[in-house]
Amino acid sequence: MNSLASVDALSTDLRSLFRDSEARAARLRLLIQVSRELETADGDRLDAALAKAGQKAALFTGYAHGAPRHDGDPLPPDARLFPFERLSDHGDSGRGLVLWGPRNPASPGSEEDEEALRLLVEMIESRLIMAHQQNRQARLLDRLAQRERELEQVLSEVVRAQETERRALSADLHDGVAQQIAALHRRLELLQLDLPPEASASLSQDVGLLIDVARRSVGDLRRMIAGLRPTSLDDLGVVAALREEARRLEALGHQVHVREGGMRRLPDWQETLIFRVAQEGLNNAAKHAPGSTVELGLILDEAAGQVVLTVADDGGRRPAEPGDAVERLGLEIMRERLMAVACTLETGPVGGGFQIRATMPLAGA
């Protein structure tokens, strides 16, 4: 009899251990399943996944219904509420998991069931916190994008106003001073032709010098007018305008190599900004590195959403002077203008010469 009793007791213990093992496995499967469903749900599917998780928590603990609760939702009289306290710290109060409709109130769950339920509640709350943070981040990104659009609009207006002034100044110079100096040059040439044979050699030489000064002044004014607002920038784009600037520099004794890649037409204000930075770099090469070889690069990288401009000279015939590399570029105003639209401008010596490198995000990218 004792042997049979021992066998029965052992059988009972084994069945109990088996049930406990099955119960633990069921809890683990439930937690893993809910965790995966919540992790992979986003957007419109998240609400459905949260409702499903709430219902699973209810059935697991012996309730007929379960769902996440919103602030102000009425509670059934037999409901059990698990408040989401951590979610309140993120500005979303009054939320929780509510279970109602107990199927067997006389059969409370075990401590392990309660622990599993607590983990389910934490999973649901953590997913809600994550969704709250994602929504907040999305709102911040939308606001940032809006600010960038507004900044682009403001800069566009500023650049447009500046270019309008340049265009007006160019027209005034062309129709006023340039015409007067050209007329002066022509009158001096006629005066030289009309000099009487008995005129002194010194007088003829002085008139020749005045003609030369007038000729150079006309050339300087024409270059200044062209630099104020080249028509090619509006008609053909920044690449064509920069090729004109390269030819202007070549006429001064430089070798200029232009390298462009992937370029297309960009918004007017951005093409103008690129042109002005490149023009400043070319002007500095002409001023500080006479006879130099200049590399002008303009690359549009669609994948990176940016345009990279480089202007580099090899130093030319003039040896570098102490402090020249720092002081020779008048680009501080341009640097501030670029920084206003999240652009960068790097300047510094390269080999025996100097380089500027501007990186500009594409407008609307």
Side-chain angles (χ1 to χ4, degrees):
M1 292 295 292
N2 289 337
S3 177
L4 290 175
S6 298
V7 171
D8 290 340
L10 179 59
S11 177
T12 300
D13 291 341
L14 289 174
R15 284 196 296 271
S16 177
L17 289 173
F18 179 76
R19 286 194 299 269
D20 291 343
S21 176
E22 283 292 304
R24 282 193 290 271
R27 295 187 199 99
L28 184 59
R29 283 195 301 269
L30 175 65
L31 292 173
I32 292 174
Q33 185 180 27
V34 171
S35 175
R36 288 176 177 172
E37 291 174 351
L38 292 177
E39 182 181 358
T40 57
D42 55 8
D44 297 336
R45 299 185 302 162
L46 180 58
D47 288 341
L50 290 169
K52 188 176 180 181
Q55 185 63 23
K56 287 182 176 180
L59 297 177
F60 173 73
T61 52
Y63 285 83
H65 308 286
R69 177 182 184 271
H70 294 270
D71 188 21
D73 289 350
L75 286 174
D78 58 353
R80 185 179 179 188
L81 176 64
F82 299 87
F84 295 152
E85 296 177 354
R86 289 188 298 133
L87 191 60
S88 299
D89 296 336
H90 292 266
D92 196 359
S93 59
R95 300 290 296 274
L97 178 66
V98 60
L99 310 177
W100 71 96
R103 292 180 172 179
N104 187 7
S107 177
S110 66
E111 290 184 4
E112 291 183 341
D113 289 340
E114 287 295 313
E115 178 64 16
L117 178 60
R118 184 184 64 79
L119 290 175
L120 281 173
V121 172
E122 289 183 358
M123 284 182 185
I124 296 172
E125 183 178 17
S126 295
R127 187 62 184 89
L128 283 169
I129 290 174
M130 183 184 299
H132 186 276
Q133 292 172 336
Q134 289 172 340
N135 291 336
R136 183 171 180 272
Q137 183 179 19
R139 290 193 299 270
L140 290 175
L141 289 175
D142 288 342
R143 287 173 58 189
L144 179 60
Q146 178 63 27
R147 289 291 299 274
E148 288 179 349
R149 288 191 293 269
E150 292 173 355
L151 188 58
E152 284 183 4
Q153 181 64 27
V154 169
L155 183 62
S156 174
E157 294 298 328
V158 170
V159 171
R160 187 177 293 112
Q162 291 174 338
E163 293 304 309
T164 299
E165 291 180 0
R166 284 174 175 268
R167 193 178 291 111
L169 179 59
S170 174
D172 289 341
L173 288 173
H174 180 273
D175 298 336
V177 178
Q179 296 296 333
Q180 294 171 7
I181 295 181
L184 176 63
H185 175 249
R186 181 59 178 162
R187 291 295 299 271
L188 287 170
E189 287 181 330
L190 293 175
L191 176 62
Q192 187 179 44
L193 292 175
D194 291 340
L195 284 176
E198 63 272 14
S200 65
S202 62
L203 177 60
S204 178
Q205 183 179 8
D206 288 343
V207 172
L209 291 175
L210 291 174
I211 291 173
D212 187 55
V213 170
R215 182 186 299 113
R216 289 200 305 271
S217 298
V218 170
D220 290 343
L221 271 172
R222 286 175 177 170
R223 285 191 293 272
M224 183 185 299
I225 291 169
L228 282 171
R229 185 68 188 184
T231 56
S232 58
L233 183 58
D234 297 316
D235 298 338
L236 302 176
V238 66
V239 175
L242 289 180
R243 290 191 184 279
E244 279 190 8
E245 289 294 298
R247 287 192 290 271
R248 176 183 65 82
L249 202 62
E250 287 174 340
L252 298 176
H254 296 261
Q255 290 187 6
V256 184
H257 304 292
V258 180
R259 177 174 56 91
E260 67 92 9
M263 286 300 298
R264 54 176 171 78
R265 290 306 301 265
L266 301 172
D268 291 343
W269 69 267
Q270 193 165 42
E271 288 198 339
T272 299
L273 198 58
I274 293 170
F275 175 78
R276 293 303 176 202
V277 175
Q279 186 183 49
E280 183 69 24
L282 293 173
N283 288 340
N284 275 277
K287 180 179 179 181
H288 297 283
S292 61
T293 298
V294 180
E295 302 286 340
L296 172 62
L298 187 60
I299 307 298
L300 188 152
D301 188 342
E302 293 282 4
Q306 66 183 20
V307 178
V308 178
L309 167 71
T310 56
V311 182
D313 64 72
D314 63 1
R317 297 187 301 269
R318 176 183 174 184
E321 299 176 2
D324 187 46
V326 176
E327 298 175 359
R328 71 177 189 163
L329 288 179
L331 289 170
E332 287 307 313
I333 295 176
M334 196 65 67
R335 187 192 307 276
E336 293 179 3
R337 187 185 298 180
L338 290 171
M339 289 176 61
V341 285
C343 303
T344 60
L345 183 65
E346 303 170 22
T347 64
V350 174
F354 201 86
Q355 174 180 278
I356 69 169
R357 185 177 190 273
T359 304
M360 312 175 188
L362 292 174

